[in-house]
Structure formats: structure tokens, C-alpha cells
Amino acid sequence: MAAIEKVKVVVLGDSGVGKTSLTYLIAHNKPLISPGWTVGCSVEVKLHRYKEGTQSQNTFFVELWDVGGSNGHRNTRNVFYQPTHGIILVHDLTNRKSQVNLQKWLSEILNQDSSNPTFQQVDVDPEQFLGSTQIPILVIGTKFDLAEEKQRKNQYRRLSSSIAEQCGADEIFVNCFQARSLAPGTSNSVKLTRFFDKVIERRYYSRVSPFSEKRRIPPYIMATSTPLSNNKPSQYLSPRFYHMD
């Protein structure tokens, strides 16, 4: 039996926005009953069928790296960022600050320097910088049920995030405690599947590496019908798992 190839998707966002519950829901199609705080990194794995129902259909593992959002670990988080094949940015729909901070998270991972163990934040102009990257990005707003309640009370007007528009990325809204948020056939499920397909296509059917030396990603190269034989997955770091109940 042939080995199943894998891709790595890094899940970023402020502490408390629901990244752990989200990754569990994506991987297991059911809610996490008692989520805990993530310190360091936690990994969930989803079996994904690339381009399901077509002649190009293939099976891949999608690793979802849930990176802890504590500011105290900012200088050590870069160990979890190499390699990165796709990025999920997560914000709390009831917390405007968590949405604004997505730009900082994206700046952190795209500016991280793998040769420097101490990460230094570099400010970027989103209008110029975000448009230059073609690393697949998906933006997810959590706690949709609470946001809807605020909308009914006219306490919360805007749901969509500006960073999704700047990146040209899809955005979905979920309630992590309801499996139907990502039920097959829903708009959310279609967008999530499309995102995973993009990640796999870029990793295995394109000669473009996820990070270039200048942090600028050149245009896509025409995809081939089979994964490139000389483009095998690089060795992954073995993450340590920390949970604070």
C-alpha cells in the first residue's frame, strides 16, 4: 500500500478565540466537549480527499498545527512555522481586537526567519505585502452563534474581516460546538475543501516553494497530473504537545 502524503497547515490567532475547538471539529467532524488552553503547539490530523469525484482524486493527510496564542511565547513560536504549506487565521467574531490582530499573526509567520532562533517582528504594509504571497490562506470567524445574538441586538454590525479581502482569501463563520457548521454540502464545507485542495495543489503540483528567500512568492506554475517526484515532503519537526486543563 502506497504511503499517504501530507501537508501542514498552521492555525493562528489570539489566545481564547477557539483554535483548539476548531481544529478538533475539522479533524473529527464533531465538537470538542472540554477544550483546554494550548501552550506550545497541538496537532490534529484530517484525512482529505483531494479533488474528490474527479480523475485527479487522491488522498492526503492534512496536519492542523494549532499554535498557542500567548504573547509570552512569541519569540519561540517560529519553531512551529517551518515548513508551512497553508495558513488558517482564526478570530472571535465577538472580539474585534482578535480580528485586527490577524494582520500581526500573518506578518509574524511570513516574516519569520528560520535561520534566526529569536524572531523579530517586521512591520509590513498589507496593501503591498499581502498581495505578494500566494500561500493559501483561509480566514475563520468563531463563536458565530454569539455574534448573531449581538447582531439581533444591534451591538455588532460587521462580521467579515478586512484581512480576508486584502489576501483575496475565503472566509467562513462557525460555531465550534455545532457539527453542522462544517456539514458536507454547506457553504462552509465547500470553502474548507477548496482551501485544502489549494494547499495540496501548491505543495505537490507546483514547483513553487511555500517560502522564498525574499518572502515573495512567484506566480503559480502549470500543475502536472501527478505529484512531482523530486518534490517530496521535507522532514517535519516532531512537536511537543502541551495542554493546560
Side-chain angles (χ1 to χ4, degrees):
M1 182 177 179
I4 298 177
E5 304 284 13
K6 59 187 177 182
V7 292
K8 175 182 171 183
V9 173
V10 178
V11 183
L12 300 174
D14 288 356
S15 180
V17 297
K19 299 187 300 295
T20 299
S21 296
L22 174 66
T23 55
Y24 189 91
L25 177 62
I26 293 174
H28 303 283
N29 299 314
K30 61 181 181 180
L32 179 62
I33 303 302
S34 300
W37 294 98
T38 301
V39 180
C41 181
S42 177
V43 180
E44 295 284 356
V45 180
K46 176 179 177 62
L47 191 65
H48 176 72
R49 290 180 174 82
Y50 170 73
K51 292 192 174 180
E52 187 173 11
T54 71
Q55 292 182 345
S56 302
Q57 179 175 314
N58 203 350
T59 301
F60 292 84
F61 285 125
V62 176
E63 294 183 346
L64 300 165
W65 287 51
D66 166 22
V67 179
S70 171
N71 288 330
H73 297 89
R74 188 185 69 178
N75 292 334
T76 58
R77 281 196 294 258
N78 66 313
V79 70
F80 302 120
Y81 293 161
Q82 286 284 355
T84 294
H85 304 130
I87 301 169
I88 293 179
L89 299 173
V90 185
H91 65 100
D92 177 350
L93 288 166
T94 67
N95 181 348
R96 176 67 178 174
K97 184 178 179 180
S98 71
Q99 182 184 114
V100 173
N101 286 343
L102 292 183
Q103 181 181 327
K104 295 179 181 179
W105 282 103
L106 189 58
S107 172
E108 177 176 308
I109 188 171
L110 294 180
N111 282 290
Q112 53 86 26
D113 184 357
S114 60
S115 65
N116 185 353
T118 303
F119 170 77
Q120 297 293 329
Q121 178 86 13
V122 178
D123 291 332
V124 296
D125 177 3
E127 293 295 332
Q128 178 181 5
F129 184 79
L130 297 183
S132 71
T133 178
Q134 291 182 7
I135 298 173
I137 295 172
L138 178 67
V139 180
I140 299 181
T142 60
K143 306 181 184 179
F144 185 48
D145 53 325
L146 300 180
E148 283 187 314
E149 180 65 26
K150 283 194 172 185
Q151 274 194 323
R152 284 193 289 270
K153 295 180 180 179
N154 295 321
Q155 296 177 352
Y156 196 90
R157 295 179 179 271
R158 178 181 173 83
L159 289 179
S160 60
S161 62
S162 59
I163 197 168
E165 299 171 358
Q166 292 171 339
C167 294
D170 281 334
E171 181 169 21
I172 62 178
F173 305 140
V174 301
N175 174 2
C176 295
F177 296 102
Q178 292 289 341
R180 64 173 179 267
S181 289
L182 296 176
T186 62
S187 174
N188 284 350
S189 177
V190 170
K191 290 180 179 180
L192 183 64
T193 297
R194 183 165 58 202
F195 167 71
F196 288 149
D197 281 354
K198 286 180 181 179
V199 173
I200 292 166
E201 182 171 350
R202 183 164 181 80
R203 174 67 182 93
Y204 288 101
Y205 299 90
S206 170
R207 294 184 182 276
V208 179
S209 61
F211 289 120
S212 67
E213 293 181 358
K214 296 181 179 180
R215 301 293 187 257
R216 300 282 178 171
I217 310 301
Y220 277 99
I221 297 176
M222 184 68 68
T224 58
S225 58
T226 57
L228 301 172
S229 59
N230 61 346
N231 194 19
K232 296 296 184 183
S234 55
Q235 184 65 37
Y236 280 24
L237 294 168
S238 297
R240 296 181 64 185
F241 304 96
Y242 301 90
H243 282 284
M244 186 179 299
D245 295 329

